[in-house]
Amino acid sequence: MTKKPYLFVLALCFVLPALLFAGGNQESENSGKSLEIFSWWTAGGEAEGLQAMLDVFHEKYPDIEIINATVAGGAGTNAKAVLATRMQGGNPPDAFQVHAGHELIDTWVVSGYMEPVTFILKENGWMDKFPKDVIDIISYKGEVYSIPVNVHRSNVMWYNPKLFKDNGLEPPKNMDEFFTVAEKLKAAGVTPLALGDTNGWPATHLLESVILASTGPEKYRQLWERKVSWSDPDVQEALENYAKMMNYTNSDHAALTNMDAAGYVAEGKAAMNVMGDWVAGYYKSQDYTQGVDWDWMPTPGTQGNFIMLSDSFGLAKNAPNRENVIKWLEVCASKEGQDAFNPIKGSIPSRIDGDRSKYDAYLNAAMDDFASNEIVPSVAHGAAVSEAWITKINDIMSVFTTDLDVKKATIEFQAVADRYAPK
């Protein structure tokens, strides 16, 4: 395919859905009794979790028609492209999914596309129901700009208990143990580490845990604030470790999605996988059993630390059905809404008063760790860096994962940090 036809097809992929949703918006505007909710939650666990929260909304407001406008593919990449087209064209969805942190603030708040929603939390008496760290990353100049519906943990290693038991091994707690275990598994004919990076970002997801393992939380934060150089010895160690880890991954990783790779662990095709804890929701949706088909622990070298990300919904300026959006955001912020959504999604509530009886063993452990661990923001999921910066990081990772050239990657990572880090 020549370049121009390729670009034409790519444009159709993003513009046509935008036009279709635009039609839905016009209908909503005319009726005033609709609510379009835009997200990329289409996979097992997350789609069912969203539906559970939609059911809570429908029970409260049965006369409001819900338009569940999900965009599949690319783990949000496709949805973000459609969203950008609509926002820049003056045609925002009523409510849309966005990662809390720099993805929200740098992309949509600073550029003037969003209304503050502080009044929703204050009028309902909920300001003190969310941890200060969570409120801080959704705030700009003293105003809250989105409602966080959950908290996810990025630094989780999923492993197959039977493969470890059969080979007389224990799950690794640090990077030295990881390489020792990986070598023994490889010698036994077992793929040590499942990776599914066909969408690019899972490689970055893995790297952020590897960096945290070498730098610790303070230097990890400083790296994304451009206070630490990519030539720092601890950062260099992390890049060398990542390159070495690629010797222990599945040969088909570039053709797999992140959920395919997580499935490899539960199916016994690989021993370990590093992915966020939405995998717990996926395993639950597939009837895999914790302790039998899968189990978990913090990624090697990151015990005591919690790499956090959060999904949220905001109020766009000129939302077609503003009053209905406010009703939706109140459901998102409520204990009832969060306790309907999160146990199925595989995440913990962003509120501090979730009903623990509704959550499984993994999620209760995640709540304990979130309350006691050092919290650092995820890079791969927009909490630590802007959308423009993470796009460049993902581009670098797609090449680095193949050529494993640490020196070249160091130069490229430093260049994009110099360009995009806050000054």
Side-chain angles (χ1 to χ4, degrees):
M1 181 180 287
T2 62
K3 186 175 182 180
K4 286 184 177 179
Y6 170 77
L7 292 175
F8 176 71
V9 171
L10 186 64
L12 286 178
C13 290
F14 292 137
V15 173
L16 280 180
L19 294 175
L20 289 172
F21 287 131
N25 264 8
Q26 188 62 49
E27 182 182 346
S28 300
E29 188 174 11
N30 292 338
S31 68
K33 292 186 177 179
S34 296
L35 173 67
E36 183 194 9
I37 299 171
F38 184 95
S39 80
W40 58 83
W41 285 328
T42 60
E46 57 191 26
E48 291 88 344
L50 175 60
Q51 186 57 53
M53 196 157 58
L54 295 178
D55 290 343
V56 172
F57 182 88
H58 180 69
E59 187 173 342
K60 289 179 178 293
Y61 308 105
D63 294 334
I64 298 175
E65 178 191 8
I66 300 170
I67 302 171
N68 186 6
T70 54
V71 176
T77 303
N78 295 347
K80 292 174 187 176
V82 174
L83 177 64
T85 299
R86 293 186 57 174
M87 295 288 277
Q88 292 163 10
N91 177 36
D94 286 321
F96 63 88
Q97 178 187 358
V98 61
H99 287 135
H102 284 271
E103 181 179 311
L104 163 72
I105 301 299
D106 295 4
T107 307
W108 302 121
V109 176
V110 174
S111 52
Y113 284 95
M114 306 297 289
E115 284 190 40
V117 294
T118 317
F119 70 95
I120 293 177
L121 299 181
K122 285 187 173 179
E123 290 177 3
N124 286 281
W126 291 336
M127 282 298 288
D128 62 351
K129 300 302 181 185
F130 295 83
K132 182 180 181 302
D133 288 344
V134 173
I135 292 292
D136 285 348
I137 68 170
I138 55 176
S139 297
Y140 179 69
K141 293 186 175 179
E143 292 280 5
V144 174
Y145 276 92
S146 72
I147 300 297
V149 295
N150 65 358
V151 168
H152 272 300
R153 185 176 197 171
S154 159
N155 59 317
V156 185
M157 186 187 77
W158 311 95
Y159 67 91
N160 184 299
K162 185 174 186 300
L163 287 178
F164 273 86
K165 183 178 180 181
D166 289 349
N167 289 279
L169 299 170
E170 294 291 331
K173 294 185 175 65
N174 55 52
M175 291 305 298
D176 287 341
E177 289 183 8
F178 171 84
F179 288 119
T180 299
V181 163
E183 189 61 34
K184 291 180 178 177
L185 288 167
K186 187 175 182 179
V190 176
T191 299
L193 180 66
L195 176 65
D197 61 334
T198 189
N199 294 316
W201 65 266
T204 306
H205 184 110
L206 172 60
L207 179 67
E208 69 182 13
S209 274
V210 178
I211 290 175
L212 179 62
S214 289
T215 63
E218 186 60 29
K219 189 175 283 186
Y220 173 93
R221 293 190 192 93
Q222 291 175 344
L223 181 63
W224 310 113
E225 295 166 353
R226 199 167 160 265
K227 296 176 181 175
V228 167
S229 163
W230 281 83
S231 60
D232 179 273
D234 292 334
V235 180
Q236 287 292 290
E237 177 189 85
L239 294 178
E240 293 287 353
N241 280 342
Y242 179 88
K244 187 177 177 182
M245 292 173 85
M246 292 304 102
N247 294 322
Y248 300 103
T249 59
N250 44 306
S251 59
D252 59 348
H253 64 84
L256 298 184
T257 68
N258 61 309
M259 289 304 195
D260 292 333
Y264 269 24
V265 171
E267 295 163 12
K269 295 179 180 177
M272 298 173 280
N273 170 243
V274 173
M275 186 44 59
D277 56 8
W278 45 91
V279 167
Y282 170 71
Y283 285 156
K284 188 174 182 178
S285 73
Q286 301 299 306
D287 293 327
Y288 290 123
T289 303
Q290 182 175 2
V292 178
D293 304 303
W294 63 275
D295 219 324
W296 75 280
M297 62 185 301
T299 51
T302 69
Q303 286 84 351
N305 297 286
F306 192 112
I307 303 181
M308 172 201 152
L309 61 136
S310 174
D311 297 295
S312 69
F313 286 89
L315 175 57
K317 290 180 179 176
N318 303 316
N321 298 288
R322 183 178 184 277
E323 294 307 311
N324 293 346
V325 179
I326 292 170
K327 292 182 174 69
W328 167 248
L329 295 179
E330 287 177 335
V331 169
C332 291
S334 71
K335 181 177 177 180
E336 181 183 10
Q338 297 210 358
D339 282 344
F341 172 71
N342 286 297
I344 301 173
K345 173 69 164 60
S347 48
I348 63 175
S350 57
R351 294 176 60 113
I352 60 175
D353 57 353
D355 182 351
R356 281 178 172 257
S357 70
K358 296 181 181 297
Y359 294 82
D360 62 22
Y362 166 74
L363 292 173
N364 269 280
M367 288 187 209
D368 291 341
D369 284 354
F370 185 65
S372 61
N373 281 196
E374 187 84 20
I375 308 299
V376 297
S378 168
V379 175
H381 303 284
V385 302
S386 67
E387 185 72 12
W389 192 357
I390 189 57
T391 299
K392 294 296 184 183
I393 291 172
N394 287 337
D395 289 345
I396 295 168
M397 287 302 296
S398 68
V399 177
F400 179 43
T401 299
T402 302
D403 69 14
L404 307 180
D405 188 334
V406 171
K407 183 178 180 180
K408 180 165 74 74
T410 300
I411 294 171
E412 293 172 345
F413 280 129
Q414 188 62 57
V416 296
D418 293 343
R419 169 67 178 80
Y420 293 104
K423 299 298 188 290

